[in-house]
Amino acid sequence: MRFSLQRKQLCIPYFIFLILFVVIPILFILFYAFTDSNGNFSFDSLVGFFTSTNKINVLIQSLLFSVINTIVCLLIGYPISYILASSKAKFNYVVVMLFVMPMWINFVLRTGATRDVLTWIGLSGGQHPYIATFIGLFYNYLPFVILPLYSTMLKLDKAQTEAASDLGCNRFQVFTKSIFPQTIPGVVSAAQMVFMPTMSSYVIPETLSEGKIILFGNSIYLGFSNNQWNSASFMAIIMLAIVCISMLVTRNYTEKDQEGGSSRW
């Protein structure tokens, strides 16, 4: 009983942190989202958001950027992760670390360096804002796809794959019926780690597009910077709702996949 009490006490710092830096900020955001400038209850921010063509267009553009970046990162990161996980070379871990090491550099400095490189090769944000922004998003979030996929593929059941080949499956069937189903948890995790950060990003589009492309994160940042606390807080609520929906969808999908994983064969 004494040991159990001590274990519970270890949770106290976590709950204090949770209340101070998660619960209280969300309550403040909810308060500002559904009040006016005088602190009175109001739906003005909600009506203003859904009646603003500009804000809706920014939301749609952010969703498109997020979907495209997630798909491209998965299409390129998946084969890279599979090759690294399947190869027996001793330096595979070193190659993975080469993808991760740039993430140790300050985010703003890394984005500024990317802008300089793109300008040097003729893809400056002033002339090619969409290309420059997309390259920056892809470069910054590709490691978040490779790492979880690589970790998942290291745990692949090789016996299942060999059994598929022995039973007459060709390479494509082995991939679709054995390899890919086993890596779905890694794919879901990687997609989560790319989709929402892309949508909420504001440093990358602001720096690389030279202010010509505004994503949802930029809108929220500009709202708070211009003391538009009510509208910016409601946009933050929209962002939080999208995060919760994406987590629920991916959780349900992962649970269904795990339940049906044993029955695929």
Side-chain angles (χ1 to χ4, degrees):
M1 178 65 68
R2 183 179 179 182
F3 177 71
S4 176
L5 181 62
Q6 291 176 348
R7 289 177 58 185
K8 292 180 180 180
Q9 290 174 346
L10 292 175
C11 298
I12 294 177
Y14 169 75
F15 283 112
I16 294 175
F17 177 87
L18 190 68
I19 292 172
L20 291 178
F21 298 102
V22 178
V23 176
I24 293 179
I26 290 178
L27 291 177
F28 272 111
I29 290 175
L30 286 170
F31 171 78
Y32 283 109
F34 294 101
T35 56
D36 55 21
S37 57
N38 296 320
N40 300 319
F41 181 78
S42 173
F43 287 109
D44 290 345
S45 298
L46 184 149
V47 175
F49 178 83
F50 287 105
T51 57
S52 173
T53 304
N54 184 47
K55 292 179 179 178
I56 297 297
N57 288 338
V58 169
L59 177 60
I60 294 174
Q61 179 173 260
S62 301
L63 288 171
L64 289 175
F65 264 95
S66 299
V67 171
I68 294 173
N69 190 40
T70 302
I71 292 174
V72 173
C73 285
L74 286 173
L75 289 176
I76 295 178
Y78 194 98
I80 293 175
S81 302
Y82 181 74
I83 292 172
L84 292 174
S86 302
S87 176
K88 296 181 181 180
K90 296 181 179 180
F91 57 84
N92 285 349
Y93 183 74
V94 176
V95 177
V96 174
M97 291 304 298
L98 290 176
F99 282 101
V100 177
M101 282 178 62
M103 301 299 103
W104 299 348
I105 304 173
N106 181 273
F107 186 79
V108 177
L109 293 177
R110 192 168 66 247
T111 304
T114 304
R115 177 193 58 194
D116 295 338
V117 171
L118 292 176
T119 302
W120 180 65
I121 64 177
L123 292 175
S124 63
Q127 298 178 345
H128 307 281
Y130 285 94
I131 296 177
T133 300
F134 179 77
I135 291 175
L137 292 171
F138 170 76
Y139 162 72
N140 278 278
Y141 295 119
L142 179 62
F144 294 101
V145 169
I146 293 177
L147 194 57
L149 284 176
Y150 175 76
S151 301
T152 301
M153 290 176 181
L154 287 176
K155 304 174 184 177
L156 286 177
D157 186 354
K158 302 296 179 61
Q160 186 182 122
T161 304
E162 293 174 357
S165 299
D166 294 339
L167 290 172
C169 293
N170 56 39
R171 291 185 177 181
F172 180 74
Q173 291 174 326
V174 169
F175 173 76
T176 57
K177 294 180 179 296
S178 177
I179 297 175
F180 183 73
Q182 293 184 67
T183 59
I184 285 181
V187 172
V188 172
S189 177
Q192 286 180 328
M193 295 177 69
V194 174
F195 182 82
M196 291 312 305
T198 299
M199 187 172 178
S200 61
S201 175
Y202 71 91
V203 174
I204 295 175
E206 177 68 23
T207 303
L208 298 184
S209 72
E210 299 181 8
K212 294 185 178 181
I213 293 179
I214 297 178
L215 298 185
F216 209 64
N218 296 93
S219 296
I220 297 174
Y221 170 75
L222 291 173
F224 284 116
S225 298
N226 296 325
N227 292 324
Q228 299 174 355
W229 287 74
N230 304 105
S231 60
S233 295
F234 185 79
M235 287 189 288
I237 293 297
I238 295 292
M239 176 72 72
L240 183 62
I242 295 174
V243 171
C244 293
I245 292 172
S246 65
M247 291 179 65
L248 288 173
V249 170
T250 53
R251 185 191 66 176
N252 293 337
Y253 184 84
T254 303
E255 289 177 353
K256 290 179 181 178
D257 177 73
Q258 292 175 347
E259 291 173 359
S262 59
S263 62
R264 282 194 174 91
W265 285 90

